[in-house]
Amino acid sequence: MSHLVTLNIEAGVATVTFNRPDKLNALSYESFVQLARIIKQLKKEKSLRLVIIDANGSDFCTGLDVKNISRSPTKMLKLLFKWLPGNANLAQRVTIGWQEIKAPVICKIHGRCFGGGMQIALGADFRLASRDAQFAIMESRWGLTPDMAGSVMLQGLMPYDQALKLTHMAEPISADTAQEVNLVTQVCDDLDHECEQLKAALLAQSPDALAANKRTYQKRMLANRRQLLAAETFNQIRILRGKNVKRAISNRLKGETKPFDNSANW
C-alpha cells in the first residue's frame, strides 16, 4: 500500500507517479492519503524547481475506486470532512494542493483520465496529453457531483456551458476535443519528448519569476476558491443523503438500469 503513489526528486525536479496499474490507477482511499502527504512534502521543498505528475500502466487514472471507498462509510467521511466550509478536505487537497506549490506543475496524461483523475490533472499548471488520451468527469454516472476542487480550476479554463456539458454528460472526449475546449494545454504525438522540451524551457527560467507569475495568474483562477470548495462539499453531502445516489451506484455495480426518483433531493 505504501507505493500506490511514488515520489522521486532529482536535481530539483519531482516526479509523482500513480503506481496502481493493475487497477488502472483508480483512486483508493489510501491513494488520496499518499497524494496529500506528497503534496505537503513538496510544498516544503525549498530547492524544488518543477513537478511532473505521471502514471504507470495503460491509463493515467480511471477515477475513484468506488468499491474500495463505498465499503467503508468511515473512508467517505474522512474524504469529505473539513473543519470549516471553505477549507479543502482530503479529496479537494489532492487537486488544489498543486496550486499551493510555488514551482510549475506539469501533468503527463496518457490513456484514460476520468473522474477523480481528471480533477487531479486540473490542479496542474500544464496538461500535456498523448494523442490517444481520453477525458471525462464521470461523477454523474454514479449519481454524484464532482467534489475534488475541479470546479475551482474549471472556472478559469472553460466557458460555463462547456464545463457544464462535460460534467452533466459524463462522456469521454478525445484529446483533440479536450484541447479545443481548453481542458488540456497541448496534445502530443510524442508525450515524453514534448514534456522534456517544456521541462527544459521552464528550468531555463528564473524560479523566482516563475513563482511570481504563478501567484499573479492565480488571483483570477482562485478568486472565489473558498466559496467553491464549500459548495462542492455541501452539494455532495446533500446528494449522498438522497435516494438517487444509491440507485446510481447500484446500477453501475450491477450493470442494471433502474429509474431515478424524479423529485430531486434539493
Side-chain angles (χ1 to χ4, degrees):
M1 288 303 233
S2 61
H3 300 293
L4 297 176
V5 186
T6 64
L7 171 65
N8 178 64
I9 303 176
E10 186 174 344
V13 178
T15 302
V16 180
T17 307
F18 290 117
N19 191 38
R20 206 184 180 206
D22 56 315
K23 297 292 185 180
L24 306 178
N25 290 318
L27 298 165
S28 65
Y29 171 75
E30 293 75 18
S31 301
F32 282 94
V33 172
Q34 289 179 29
L35 269 174
R37 287 175 180 167
I38 286 172
I39 291 171
K40 185 176 181 179
Q41 178 180 342
L42 292 178
K43 287 161 62 177
K44 298 177 181 178
E45 291 284 341
K46 294 182 179 180
S47 60
L48 190 66
R49 295 290 311 277
L50 184 70
V51 179
I52 299 173
I53 308 172
D54 204 349
N56 289 327
S58 60
D59 296 284
F60 176 74
C61 176
T62 52
L64 192 68
D65 185 339
V66 176
K67 289 183 179 180
N68 171 272
I69 293 176
S70 64
R71 283 196 296 261
S72 172
T74 302
K75 289 180 179 179
M76 181 63 72
L77 180 62
K78 288 180 178 179
L79 282 175
L80 297 177
F81 176 77
K82 57 177 69 176
W83 288 107
L84 294 172
N87 290 357
N89 56 30
L90 176 56
Q92 294 167 331
R93 290 202 300 273
V94 301
T95 294
I96 205 70
W98 306 109
Q99 289 296 305
E100 297 168 354
I101 295 171
K102 294 180 180 180
V105 180
I106 301 171
C107 191
K108 288 177 63 179
I109 304 165
H110 65 278
R112 287 172 288 187
C113 181
F114 290 171
M118 177 74 259
Q119 295 194 67
I120 290 170
L122 286 170
D125 300 307
F126 305 98
R127 281 162 298 285
L128 305 185
S130 64
R131 186 70 61 181
D132 67 342
Q134 291 185 305
F135 300 84
I137 296 176
M138 305 292 280
E139 281 78 358
S140 289
R141 288 194 177 188
W142 296 93
L144 299 168
T145 185
D147 63 347
M148 288 176 56
S151 63
V152 178
M153 307 307 299
L154 279 179
Q155 68 168 341
L157 292 172
M158 298 176 69
Y160 166 82
D161 60 336
Q162 294 293 341
L164 200 60
K165 181 180 179 183
L166 183 70
T167 308
H168 276 354
M169 303 308 294
E171 292 293 338
I173 61 174
S174 69
D176 287 332
T177 300
Q179 187 173 32
E180 288 174 7
V181 298
N182 208 38
L183 198 59
V184 300
T185 310
Q186 182 180 346
V187 178
C188 311
D189 292 317
D190 188 333
L191 183 57
D192 291 333
H193 174 74
E194 293 298 336
C195 185
E196 284 300 313
Q197 291 286 99
L198 180 56
K199 170 184 170 182
L202 291 171
L203 291 177
Q205 309 302 316
S206 161
D208 294 334
L210 296 184
N213 293 342
K214 186 168 179 175
R215 285 197 302 270
T216 298
Y217 285 101
Q218 282 177 339
K219 295 293 184 182
R220 178 175 66 90
M221 182 76 78
L222 308 180
N224 57 345
R225 164 183 167 170
R226 292 187 65 83
Q227 293 94 324
L228 287 172
L229 292 179
E232 281 190 352
T233 304
F234 173 78
N235 292 339
Q236 192 72 290
I237 292 173
R238 193 92 183 258
I239 285 176
L240 287 170
R241 293 175 59 195
K243 300 176 182 177
N244 281 327
V245 66
K246 296 174 184 176
R247 287 193 177 95
I249 292 175
S250 177
N251 289 350
R252 295 295 299 172
L253 292 177
K254 297 179 181 179
E256 299 175 351
T257 302
K258 295 180 180 178
F260 290 109
D261 184 346
N262 288 328
S263 57
N265 181 41
W266 218 250

